[in-house]
Amino acid sequence: MQTFHLPDVGEGLTEAEIVSWHVAPGDAVAVDDVIAEIETAKSLVELPSPFAGTVGELLVAEGDTVNVGSPIITVVPADAATAAGGDAHEPTGPGQHAETEGGGSVLVGYGTGGEAKTRRRNKPEKPVASSVGVIAKPPIRKLARDLGVDLSEVRPSGPSNEVTRDDVMGHAQQASVFRNISTPEWPAEREQEIPVPPKASPQVAPDARIEEVPVKGVRKATAAAMVGSAHTAPHVSVWTDVDASRTMEYVKRLKSSPDFADIKVSPLLIVARAVLWAARRTPMINSAWVDGDDGAKIHVRNYVNLGIAAATPRGLLVPNIKDAQDLSMRELAKALERLTLTAREGKTTPADQQGGTITITNIGVFGMDAGTPIINPGESAIVAMGAIRQKPWVVDGEVRPRWVTTVSGSFDHRVVDGDAMSRFLADVAAILEEPALLLD
């Protein structure tokens, strides 16, 4: 009997959640067959088998979070299965390493070129709810899976176009998947006692006053990072109102340009270019505080890996565009589009989220005007772009309707002084007021 222990999938993480098993006891597996899908704090990863043989036992249930190095599955070796009179298949691929139970087996078999014949029992497929481009919390996604509801067909009603519990339940009722499902009125009693089963599910009865959501995966990593940042870097925030009317005109011209016909263009593109331009003029904004054995240092980066905070079905992610300072306007627009689509599809990789130097968070898409965002760890500043709305604005002594937005930002006061951040934010505002400055 061989035991496969959860490996470090190359991200330096300590735990992962078993999202789904792709095999069951009695199934035949070959080296590199995908046996499970796991979710780390950074990405979804398909886990290949390092062994060939027959699945013995699944040691961890779907939805459980386990530490790296914990046993998760046992496999009866192919030769043992043959000796017992069962069907067998030989391991494939060079460099296979299979340690027996109690050993610390490692993730092996990546990139093998061989093939193996396998025979698997036919298993009924679980209903899978499509999630591409859909914003929903983990308990809601699980509810959709349990009810067999395709999230892509549900009309969202929550904030930021988010699918809510009522949306899923209502869709299930309309589709006649379940009968007599509806959102009840508030109970007359102020408190109700609801029995908790031995293994509580993230979602609870519709009339519960409290819904418990386990903190794990992306949410757990984000919480740790934000708390660490808030308690390590002294945060200071500033903001300014901007007449972005010419930015809106410029975006309209780009949308009608043949050079941008195949690319989605939004004001975020101009904000990104403005941040790159302003960071070049105030390099300390793009720096990082580094504690070392020989004392603290400030690393001034002469490049920009531009982070874009993205609300995804898995939670808040901050992928970044590498060496964004070298990109043309069209290349930057294409990179932003790729980043957004990848995040919405849940395919952002750990590498995409590492090495950021400064971040933009577009809170305007949620209807917010301004905020005091927390700095991404390893960086010294973050810029928040507010909603662009028509407001009265004084132009040459007259009040006129203009497209107005608020640009805000937070900075690490160990690295950046108030005058430097003010100059930086004023430069960003200047570009939004007059995009023609980008031509300099």
Side-chain angles (χ1 to χ4, degrees):
M1 184 75 71
Q2 298 167 316
T3 301
F4 182 31
H5 297 73
L6 180 68
D8 180 349
V9 292
E11 304 173 27
L13 300 171
T14 59
E15 64 182 17
E17 176 189 346
I18 305 298
V19 176
S20 62
W21 283 109
H22 290 208
V23 295
D27 284 355
V29 292
V31 172
D32 278 355
D33 279 356
V34 175
I35 58 173
E37 184 179 47
I38 65 174
E39 181 176 20
T40 70
K42 297 182 178 179
S43 63
L44 289 171
V45 179
E46 290 184 339
L47 202 60
S49 173
F51 307 126
T54 302
V55 175
E57 183 180 2
L58 305 182
L59 304 176
V60 180
E62 292 183 352
D64 285 355
T65 299
V66 295
N67 294 329
V68 169
S70 300
I72 61 173
I73 186 174
T74 61
V75 176
V76 179
D79 53 357
T82 302
D87 294 334
H89 52 270
E90 293 299 322
T92 64
Q96 180 184 355
H97 174 65
E99 296 190 13
T100 58
E101 186 170 3
S105 58
V106 296
L107 188 61
V108 297
Y110 279 107
T112 58
E115 296 181 355
K117 295 180 180 178
T118 63
R119 187 181 70 188
R120 299 188 176 180
R121 297 186 288 110
N122 291 327
K123 298 182 297 180
E125 292 291 332
K126 294 181 180 179
V128 177
S130 171
S131 62
V132 176
V134 179
I135 300 177
K137 295 178 180 178
I140 306 305
R141 306 181 82 78
K142 184 178 187 306
L143 175 65
R145 287 198 302 270
D146 292 344
L147 299 183
V149 171
D150 186 341
L151 283 176
S152 65
E153 297 179 356
V154 179
R155 177 175 295 180
S157 66
S160 311
N161 215 31
E162 177 181 328
V163 175
T164 67
R165 180 186 180 86
D166 287 348
D167 297 336
V168 173
M169 299 291 267
H171 185 89
Q173 184 181 35
Q174 292 173 5
S176 299
V177 178
F178 277 65
R179 300 294 183 184
N180 300 322
I181 298 177
S182 61
T183 302
E185 297 294 328
W186 285 104
E189 303 90 344
R190 285 187 59 80
E191 294 185 8
Q192 290 179 291
E193 185 175 296
I194 299 176
V196 178
K199 185 174 178 60
S201 178
Q203 80 273 357
V204 293
D207 57 354
R209 292 178 63 87
I210 298 176
E211 180 177 353
E212 183 176 285
V213 180
V215 178
K216 55 186 178 180
V218 171
R219 175 54 54 198
K220 184 176 181 179
T222 300
M226 294 299 99
V227 169
S229 177
H231 287 278
T232 302
H235 282 56
V236 180
S237 298
V238 293
W239 52 87
T240 184
D241 292 336
V242 183
D243 179 359
S245 299
R246 290 184 178 175
T247 283
M248 299 299 283
E249 295 169 2
Y250 188 38
V251 169
K252 185 177 180 179
R253 289 199 301 272
L254 290 179
K255 287 182 176 180
S256 62
S257 169
D259 292 337
F260 290 82
D262 59 337
I263 305 174
K264 182 178 180 180
V265 178
S266 73
L268 179 61
L269 172 61
I270 313 305
V271 176
R273 281 302 295 266
V275 167
L276 294 171
W277 183 77
R280 185 178 63 186
R281 289 163 55 88
T282 310
M284 292 302 289
I285 295 296
N286 195 47
S287 303
W289 180 277
V290 180
D291 287 310
D293 295 336
D294 55 346
K297 298 180 178 65
I298 294 175
H299 287 185
V300 182
R301 277 83 68 107
N302 297 318
Y303 62 93
V304 180
N305 290 345
L306 184 62
I308 305 294
T312 76
R314 294 181 57 234
L316 177 66
L317 301 179
V318 189
N320 61 78
I321 300 170
K322 311 298 185 190
D323 290 312
Q325 78 283 349
D326 295 333
L327 302 182
S328 66
M329 183 73 83
R330 175 182 165 78
E331 291 169 338
L332 183 59
K334 197 72 176 175
L336 286 169
E337 183 179 51
R338 256 193 323 267
L339 179 149
T340 302
L341 291 176
T342 300
R344 286 177 179 172
E345 293 172 358
K347 297 180 180 178
T348 303
T349 66
D352 292 334
Q353 302 175 65
Q354 295 170 355
T357 63
I358 189 170
T359 295
I360 299 172
T361 177
N362 186 9
I363 59 176
V365 297
F366 307 116
M368 298 295 102
D369 293 324
T372 56
I374 295 179
I375 304 163
N376 206 34
E379 303 174 14
S380 293
I382 182 171
V383 176
M385 180 68 185
I388 303 178
R389 314 176 192 274
Q390 277 203 318
K391 294 182 179 180
W393 193 263
V394 177
V395 180
D396 296 330
E398 297 181 357
V399 178
R400 302 177 187 176
R402 304 289 286 178
W403 290 103
V404 178
T405 188
T406 300
V407 181
S408 52
S410 299
F411 61 97
D412 183 345
H413 216 323
R414 297 174 302 174
V415 180
V416 181
D417 292 331
D419 63 329
M421 186 64 179
S422 297
R423 288 197 305 270
F424 168 79
L425 214 59
D427 280 344
V428 173
I431 295 297
L432 296 179
E433 290 176 349
E434 184 48 82
L437 291 173
L438 292 172
L439 302 178
D440 291 347

